[in-house]
Structure formats: structure tokens, C-alpha cells
């Protein structure tokens, strides 16, 4: 069976839905997401081993996140040029070997360089892995597929402090990286068996100006966000962010004019994909702030120990997992629009409720609140992850996937940076006598207001948005549009009025007669 799955498939065909492949890709995502934040708890130990200030160790986290961000835009072209299976396997190998190099590092410079190599592997794993799953998934199974792919992004930020603290306390910081070795080796072997072979396109040209502008833009934005959260008193954060925005604007102008752009920007003509880039971006910014704000409020505001705070924050993880079996049935029953509006409104309500917590609040009540917050978080993530691809033609899938991965990375970084800025902005604010948690309460209220912007965007979605995926209330025609018959699949041809694009291997583009 494994050998059969590796046979090349004719262009324009899709293999069947493979849950094992989706689970494999999700597992690699979890490694990549976890390593993005798990190092935080090990910073004091690394600082002591290398005899450097703890603040200097932050460069290892910044280098990793920056490398992932600037590497994602190139990953789509690499998958088309050399084949998605080859690039995905290479990404796992690079990430695993770089993890070993991190564990063997004897000084901060070596560790930082190893983290850059690790980030290079991670930058390819996420978008290329997603592409591998999406290419083999019909629209009728897209909700199930994204349910597998969403959980790493939900769980990793919540589990990172607990995992990192346990490994550092009971073993050593080296084990944060060493645990990736058996996992990476198993994932590499499994990928050789499960990932279908798709031929690359040796003639596929790289849009060098588009790549340069996009890389500089994304890198400068991420660097600005990192500086804003760590050194807000310096002007470099604003300068870097402005330079990044200018470079990305230049990239958009260039790619709209060149015949072979790095991304096909026509994906933004699709309303359901645009929802991910507008309301979905705001939703992720607000949601990404929670794993950052909660532990800080519990420790700095309530005076709890890190273990106490981490144990309660794990309630968010329970909500994420507990609601997961119900997310697909809920979306199928009520549709994407209703569930996105509900998830954003309910999340805003939980943020406002978090602002009312005190050290005297019964922990059972806190636990229930955070479980609910995790459940609403999971519903929103799952809905956005599925609806963004609902109406994307197969010929635009690579561009849509790469753009989505880039925006997700920017939104996650923005959530942490915005939360840190809010805490500093509201420093000194208190809702009572000597309320040390005052800045965190104000930050939660501000995030609740921000979340309502996501609600407004979701309300403007068409009533039957993403119906070809949710299959709610009616069948679809062969183009995945509301109709009276036909399977729920997307058309292989471009949308009306779309400029024709050169054929892309493995994209499911129909052959011309």
C-alpha cells in the first residue's frame, strides 16, 4: 500500500483523503510551533551555562522566529520547483539535525546559528506540509483535514511553558532539543511512506524581485514586532515596521505587474480567503495574546508561582481539545458565518471576564472560564482554517497556502507585541487599591474591543460563505457553488476574468484539449 501511494499521479488528479498523512503533517507542525516558544522557560539555565546575561539569550528566540517568517514566502516556489514531497522531507531532516546542533552548542553564537538552521527547516515544514494535505483532500473532506492541522497551533503556545519547565527542571535545557531527534526521525520515515510523489517543474522561474521585497518586508515587520515588545523605548521598532510595510507595498505593486509573480495575488478576489486576511488576522492577533497575558497576570498580578499559573492556563488546552470533536458538526449544522460570529463574540466576552478576575476569585470558576475560552478559540481557528480554502481554485492553491502561512506568522507575532505594548501603556492603571493586575485587566479589555472588529468582518460575510465545504442545507454544483447537484469540489480552471497562469505541476490544473 505504501509503495502504491508513492507512484506519480497524472496532473489534475487528487489522491484520496488520507488521515494518516494529515496526522503526520500535524505532528511536524507541533514540533515547529513548540520550538518557537518553549525556549522561554530555559533562558535562565542557558544564561548560567553560557555565562551571559539572560537578556542576551533572547536572540536565540528572535533568530528562530525571524528565520521562519522570512523563509515561508520562498517555500511555495521550492515546492513547485522541486516537488512538495522532496521539500517536505528535506525540511524535516534540516529541522531534526539543527535540533541536534542546538543541543550540542557550547556557546550562545553556536546556539543562535543552530536556531537559524532550525528555523529554516520550520519555514518549509508548515506551508509545504499544509500543501501536501490540501492537494489530496476533496472539498467534502476539507473540514476534517483542517481539524488535524489546526490543533498544533492551538496547543503548542499553551503547552510550551509546561513542557519547557518540566524538561529544564528535571533534566536540562538540552532536552528541549533532544526530544526532537526521535520524533523527527520517525516523521522522516513516515513521510517517505505517506507523502505522494508529485513531479517538480524544472522550468519554474523564481520571481527574484518579488522574493527580495517580500523577504525584506516580512523580516522587517517581524523584527519591528520583536523590538516593540522587548525595547519599546527605542525608535527602531517603528522604523523597522515602517520599512517592512513599505517593502511589502512594493512587493504587491511588482507582483501585480510581472507575468510570473512569487504569489498569485488574485487569491484576494475570493471573499472567503479575504476573510482570513481581514477578520481572521484580527482574530489571531487577539487570540495569540492570551497565552502571553494570562501567565503574566497570574504571576505578576496575583503573585502566583510559575507552576501554579501554568497549571491553570492548561485549562485553555482542555477547552481546545474538548470541543475539537464537535467543531466539524457545528460548522456543518450552522455554517461558517454563524460560527465565526459566535466564536469572536464569545471570545470577546471571555476576555472581558478575564479582566474581572482577582486573586480571590475561586479557581474552579477561573478553570471553567478558561476552558470556555479555549473552546471558543478552537472553533474560530478551525472555521478560519477551512473557509479560507473553500472557494480557491486548485491553480491558486500554492499561492493561497503560502500567503496564509505568512499572515498567520505575522498575526501570532503581532498578538504578543500588541499585548506587551498594552501592558506598558496601561502601567499604573488599577481598578482598586494597590491592584498589581491593573495593566493586565486593561489589556484584556482592549483585546476584547479588538476582537469585536473580527466580529464585524464576519457579519459581512455572505450567508452561505464556504457552503461547498460545510455542505450546509444544500448541495453544490461542480464548481463548488450553491446549486442543485454535483460534487462539492472546486473547478480546475481559473475564476472568470482571471488572467491565465502557466500550468503548475501537482496543482490539479485541468489539461487544455
Amino acid at each position: 500500500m505504501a509503495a502504491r501511494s508513492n507512484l506519480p499521479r497524472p496532473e489534475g488528479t487528487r489522491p484520496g483523503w488520507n488521515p494518516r498523512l494529515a496526522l503526520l503533517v500535524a505532528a511536524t507542525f507541533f514540533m515547529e510551533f513548540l520550538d518557537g516558544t518553549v525556549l522561554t522557560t530555559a533562558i535562565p539555565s542557558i544564561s548560567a551555562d553560557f555565562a551571559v546575561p539572560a537578556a542576551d539569550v533572547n536572540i536565540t528566540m528572535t533568530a528562530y522566529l525571524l528565520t521562519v517568517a522570512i523563509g515561508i514566502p520562498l517555500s511555495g516556489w521550492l515546492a513547485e520547483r522541486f516537488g512538495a514531497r522532496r521539500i517536505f522531507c528535506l525540511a524535516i531532516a534540516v529541522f531534526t539535525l539543527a535540533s541536534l546542533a542546538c543541543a550540542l552548542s557550547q556557546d550562545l553564537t553556536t546556539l543562535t546559528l543552530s536556531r537559524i538552521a532550525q528555523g529554516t527547516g520550520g519555514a518549509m515544514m508548515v506551508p509545504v506540509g499544509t500543501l501536501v494535505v490540501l492537494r489530496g483532500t476533496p472539498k467534502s473532506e476539507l473540514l476534517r483535514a483542517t481539524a488535524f492541522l489546526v490543533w498544533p497551533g492551538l496547543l503548542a503556545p499553551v503547552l510550551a511553558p509546561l513542557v519547557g519547565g518540566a524538561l529544564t527542571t528535571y533534566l536540562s535545557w538540552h532536552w528541549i532539543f533532544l526530544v526532537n531527534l526521535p520524533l523527527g526521525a520517525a516523521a522522516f520515515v513516515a513521510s517517505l511512506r505517506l507523502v505522494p510523489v508529485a513531479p517538480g517543474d524544472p522550468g519554474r522561474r523564481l520571481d527574484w524581485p518579488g522574493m527580495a521585497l517580500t523577504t525584506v518586508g516580512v523580516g522587517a515587520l517581524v523584527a519591528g514586532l520583536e523590538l516593540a515588545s522587548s525595547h519599546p523605548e527605542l525608535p527602531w521598532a517603528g522604523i523597522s515596521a515602517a520599512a517592512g510595510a513599505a517593502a511589502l507595498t512594493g512587493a504587491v505593486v511588482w507582483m501585480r505587474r510581472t507575468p510570473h509573480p512569487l504569489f498569485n495575488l488574485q487569491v484576494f478576489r475570493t471573499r472567503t480567503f479575504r476573510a482570513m486576511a481581514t477578520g481572521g488576522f484580527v482574530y489571531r492577533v487577539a487570540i495569540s495574546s492570551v497565552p502571553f497575558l494570562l501567565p503574566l497576570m497570574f504571576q505578576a498580578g496575583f503573585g502566583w508561582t510559575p507552576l501554579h499559573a501554568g497549571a491553570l492556563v492548561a485549562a485553555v488546552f482542555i477547552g481546545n481539545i474538548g470541543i475539537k470533536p464537535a467543531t466539524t458538526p457545528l460548522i456543518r449544522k450552522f455554517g461558517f458565518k454563524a460560527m465565526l460570529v459566535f466564536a469572536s463574540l464569545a471570545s470577546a466576552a471571555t476576555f472581558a471576564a478575564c479582566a474581572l478576575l482577582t486573586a480571590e476569585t475561586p479557581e474552579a470558576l477561573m478553570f471553567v472560564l478558561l476552558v470556555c475560552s479555549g473552546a471558543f478559540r478552537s472553533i474560530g481557528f478551525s472555521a478560519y482554517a477551512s473557509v479560507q480554502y473553500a472557494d480557491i481554485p486548485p491553480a491558486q492553491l500554492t499561492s493561497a497556502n503560502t500567503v496564509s502561512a505568512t499572515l498567520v506568522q505575522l498575526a501570532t507575532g503581532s498578538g504578543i507585541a500588541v499585548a506587551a505594548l498594552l501592558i506598558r501603556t496601561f502601567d499604573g492603571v488599577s481598578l482598586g487599591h494597590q491592584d498589581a493586575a491593573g495593566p493586565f485587566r486593561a489589556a484584556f479589555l482592549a483585546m476584547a474591543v479588538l476582537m469585536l472588529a473580527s466580529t464585524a468582518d464576519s457579519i459581512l460575510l455572505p450567508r452561505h460563505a464556504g457552503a461547498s465545504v460545510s455542505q450546509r442545507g444544500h448541495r453544490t454544483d461542480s464548481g463548488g457553488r450553491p446549486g442543485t447537484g454535483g460534487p462539492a469540489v472546486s473547478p480546475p480552471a481559473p475564476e472568470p476574468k482571471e488572467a491565465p497562469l502557466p500550468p503548475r505541476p501537482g496543482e490539479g490544473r485541468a489539461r487544455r484539449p
Side-chain angles (χ1 to χ4, degrees), residues 44-52 106 172-174:
S45 297
I46 296 174
S47 170
D49 280 3
F50 292 164
V52 297
Q106 300 297 313
S172 72
W173 65 265
H174 306 82

Side-chain angles (χ1 to χ4, degrees), residues 99-100 102-104 172-183:
S99 296
L100 176 61
C102 289
L104 298 177
S172 72
W173 65 265
H174 306 82
W175 283 92
I176 289 176
F177 303 108
L178 289 175
V179 295
N180 289 332
L181 302 186
L183 297 176

Side-chain angles (χ1 to χ4, degrees), residues 14 139 392-398 490-493 504 506-509:
R14 285 172 175 248
K139 290 291 180 70
I392 291 292
Q396 297 179 5
L397 186 57
T398 297
S490 59
R504 300 182 179 185
E507 288 283 307
R509 191 177 181 83

Side-chain angles (χ1 to χ4, degrees), residues 340-353:
L340 287 173
V341 171
F342 168 77
S344 56
L345 280 176
S347 295
T350 60
F351 291 173

Side-chain angles (χ1 to χ4, degrees), residues 13 16 30 78 104 127 136 142 146 237 281 312 334-335 363 397 421 448 450-451 478:
T13 65
F30 186 76
L78 289 173
L104 298 177
L142 187 58
T146 53
F281 187 88
L312 194 58
F334 298 104
E363 290 191 20
L397 186 57
L421 286 174
L450 180 64
M451 180 62 79
S478 60

Side-chain angles (χ1 to χ4, degrees), residues 31-426:
M31 288 196 301
E32 191 274 328
F33 292 148
L34 190 67
D35 273 47
T37 53
V38 73
L39 201 62
T40 303
T41 53
I43 285 179
S45 297
I46 296 174
S47 170
D49 280 3
F50 292 164
V52 297
D56 292 353
V57 182
N58 284 329
I59 187 63
T60 61
M61 294 186 61
T62 302
Y64 178 86
L65 296 173
L66 187 60
T67 305
V68 171
I70 65 178
I72 286 176
L74 182 61
S75 63
W77 178 83
L78 289 173
E80 290 187 341
R81 174 64 176 79
F82 299 102
R85 179 177 184 267
R86 183 179 300 173
I87 296 301
F88 185 62
C89 292
L90 175 64
I92 295 174
V94 170
F95 187 87
T96 305
L97 293 175
S99 296
L100 176 61
C102 289
L104 298 177
S105 298
Q106 300 297 313
D107 53 58
L108 186 60
T109 300
T110 306
L111 178 60
T112 303
L113 293 175
S114 300
R115 288 283 280 175
I116 291 174
Q118 197 183 35
T120 302
M124 294 185 290
M125 277 200 305
V126 173
V128 177
T130 302
L131 185 62
V132 165
V133 173
L134 294 179
R135 280 178 173 172
T137 304
K139 290 291 180 70
S140 60
E141 298 289 349
L142 187 58
L143 275 172
R144 290 181 61 197
T146 53
F148 280 85
L149 300 179
V150 163
W151 68 263
L154 291 169
L155 304 187
V158 178
L159 291 183
L162 186 61
V163 173
L167 291 175
T168 304
T169 301
Y170 297 108
L171 295 172
S172 72
W173 65 265
H174 306 82
W175 283 92
I176 289 176
F177 303 108
L178 289 175
V179 295
N180 289 332
L181 302 186
L183 297 176
F188 184 83
V189 173
S191 65
L192 294 177
R193 296 175 59 84
L194 295 176
V195 180
V197 173
D201 179 10
R204 184 70 183 170
R205 291 184 296 174
L206 177 61
D207 174 18
W208 287 100
M211 185 195 71
L213 288 169
T214 303
T215 299
V216 170
V218 172
L221 274 180
V222 172
L225 292 171
E226 288 291 313
L227 289 170
S229 60
S230 58
H231 301 288
E233 69 280 358
L234 300 178
W236 298 112
I239 294 173
S240 180
L248 288 178
T249 301
V252 170
V253 173
W254 167 261
M255 284 188 278
R256 292 182 64 181
R257 296 180 178 180
T258 184
H260 301 285
L262 182 65
F263 305 134
N264 182 2
L265 297 181
Q266 290 180 354
V267 295
F268 288 103
R269 293 183 179 181
T270 303
R271 179 63 181 93
T272 47
F273 182 82
R274 228 171 34 246
M276 176 279 305
T278 52
F281 187 88
V282 174
Y283 184 87
R284 286 185 179 273
V285 168
I287 287 295
S288 298
S289 68
V290 175
F292 176 79
L293 286 173
L294 276 176
L296 284 179
M297 184 172 75
F298 289 156
Q299 294 176 64
F302 296 175
W304 291 3
T305 65
L307 182 60
H308 188 184
L312 194 58
V313 172
V316 178
F317 157 78
I318 295 174
N320 289 336
I321 291 297
I323 197 65
K324 183 55 64 182
T327 53
T328 295
L330 285 171
I331 292 172
R332 290 199 189 281
K333 180 174 178 61
F334 298 104
F336 282 108
K337 178 177 179 176
M339 295 314 299
L340 287 173
V341 171
F342 168 77
S344 56
L345 280 176
S347 295
T350 60
F351 291 173
C354 285
L356 301 178
L357 296 177
T358 67
E360 290 74 33
T361 303
E363 290 191 20
L365 184 60
M366 292 187 190
F367 182 85
V368 171
L369 174 62
L370 297 185
V371 167
C372 291
S373 178
F376 304 146
R377 183 173 181 255
S378 183
I379 292 172
F381 267 54
S382 298
Y384 275 118
S386 300
V387 75
Q388 65 182 336
Y389 300 116
D391 304 313
I392 291 292
Q396 297 179 5
L397 186 57
T398 297
S399 292
N401 177 57
T402 309
V403 170
S404 173
T406 303
L407 290 176
V408 166
Q409 189 72 20
L410 289 175
T412 302
S414 299
I416 298 174
V418 171
L421 286 174
L422 287 173
I423 293 172
R424 290 186 174 90
T425 300
F426 296 115

